[in-house]
């Protein structure tokens, strides 16, 4: 697979997961997520660097960086899609991609592009495991799953059907993996 193909799959996931939001709300949420992703990854990588300096566990730190980069690709694919639709791409996205490119340039010589693509693919497939195809599960079974998840998580989980998939959400709107 290529980065572009994976970006399309990430956008498909976001359309399913965010089907309950208005386009304006999706834009606001995605900007917030990208800002959070940048801050989280920056401070995480900085913390991991400090740990490396102390413990010299370079492989573990690089794998964590690779995971963070793959997560960032996933989040930024949807932002790029939303900004393209809003015809505002160049103005807002350059600072997100500056950090992503910097991180990618750091790990590309170590892992190679194929490994980075595989990591991105794993993030996407893991996120897709939050959904159950409506072809595989009827509404009654989806309702039972939401009930079971409520018992597991200890918070109310609701179900909704978006683009042919059952999506399970907590009260904050976060998609949750079925039991």
């Amino acid at each position: 697979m290529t980065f572009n193909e994976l970006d399309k799959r990430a956008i498909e996931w976001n359309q399913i997961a965010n089907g309950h939001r208005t386009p304006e709300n999706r834009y606001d949420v995605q900007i917030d997520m990208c800002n959070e992703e940048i801050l989280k990854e920056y401070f995480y990588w900085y913390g991991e660097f400090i740990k490396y300096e102390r413990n010299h566990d370079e492989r573990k730190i690089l794998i964590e960086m690779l995971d963070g980069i793959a997560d960032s690709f996933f989040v930024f694919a949807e932002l790029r899609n939303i900004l393209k639709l809003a015809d505002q791409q160049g103005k807002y996205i350059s600072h997100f991609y500056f950090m992503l490119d910097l991180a990618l340039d750091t790990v590309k010589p170590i892992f190679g592009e194929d490994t980075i693509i595989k990591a991105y693919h794993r993030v996407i497939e893991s996120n897709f495991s939050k959904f159950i195809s409506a072809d595989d599960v009827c509404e009654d079974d989806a309702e039972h799953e939401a009930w079971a998840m409520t018992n597991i998580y200890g918070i109310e989980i609701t179900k909704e059907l978006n683009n042919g998939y059952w999506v399970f959400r907590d009260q904050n709107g976060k998609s949750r993996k079925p039991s």
Side-chain angles (χ1 to χ4, degrees):
M1 296 194 97
T2 66
F3 284 115
N4 286 337
E5 290 168 329
L6 292 170
D7 283 350
K8 288 176 186 173
R9 186 91 166 122
I11 290 165
E12 177 188 0
W13 184 92
N14 276 284
Q15 289 170 341
I16 296 165
N18 296 310
H20 66 296
R21 293 190 168 112
T22 65
E24 295 80 18
N25 184 252
R26 282 178 70 184
Y27 174 81
D28 291 340
V29 166
Q30 208 61 34
I31 289 289
D32 289 346
M33 285 181 69
C34 285
N35 283 323
E36 179 183 318
E37 184 74 18
I38 284 175
L39 286 173
K40 180 185 81 174
E41 296 304 337
Y42 173 78
F43 286 111
Y44 181 77
W45 294 338
Y46 181 73
E48 289 298 308
F49 178 75
I50 297 300
K51 285 184 206 171
Y52 168 68
E53 288 296 309
R54 292 182 187 145
N55 301 323
H56 302 289
D57 190 0
E58 182 179 15
R59 179 162 171 73
K60 178 186 180 292
I61 291 164
L62 291 173
I63 289 171
E64 293 296 331
M65 263 183 98
L66 180 63
D67 179 58
I69 288 167
D71 284 341
S72 297
F73 274 125
F74 185 85
V75 172
F76 295 158
E78 174 67 356
L79 177 65
R80 187 172 56 244
N81 182 53
I82 290 169
L83 292 176
K84 194 182 299 175
L85 296 174
D87 198 29
Q88 299 178 8
Q89 184 168 356
K91 183 171 154 184
Y92 292 104
I93 205 159
S94 61
H95 69 281
F96 294 122
Y97 276 95
F98 172 75
M99 283 195 67
L100 190 58
D101 286 344
L102 184 63
L104 186 58
D105 288 346
T106 303
V107 295
K108 203 180 223 179
I110 297 163
F111 290 105
E113 190 168 310
D114 288 346
T115 301
I116 296 166
I117 286 173
K118 286 177 188 171
Y120 186 21
H121 186 255
R122 284 182 73 174
V123 165
I124 291 170
E125 293 311 309
S126 175
N127 283 337
F128 261 97
S129 71
K130 293 180 179 181
F131 308 143
I132 299 176
S133 172
D135 293 338
D136 298 335
V137 173
C138 68
E139 185 168 6
D140 287 343
D141 290 342
E143 186 66 40
H144 183 267
E145 180 61 31
W147 176 83
M149 291 170 69
T150 295
N151 290 328
I152 290 168
Y153 290 117
I155 54 175
E156 184 178 359
I157 304 294
T158 59
K159 65 159 179 50
E160 63 188 58
L161 187 61
N162 283 341
N163 296 352
Y165 289 92
W166 291 108
V167 180
F168 302 92
R169 294 190 196 291
D170 64 21
Q171 67 265 20
N172 298 321
K174 179 180 169 86
S175 298
R176 297 292 193 132
K177 285 189 180 184
S179 61

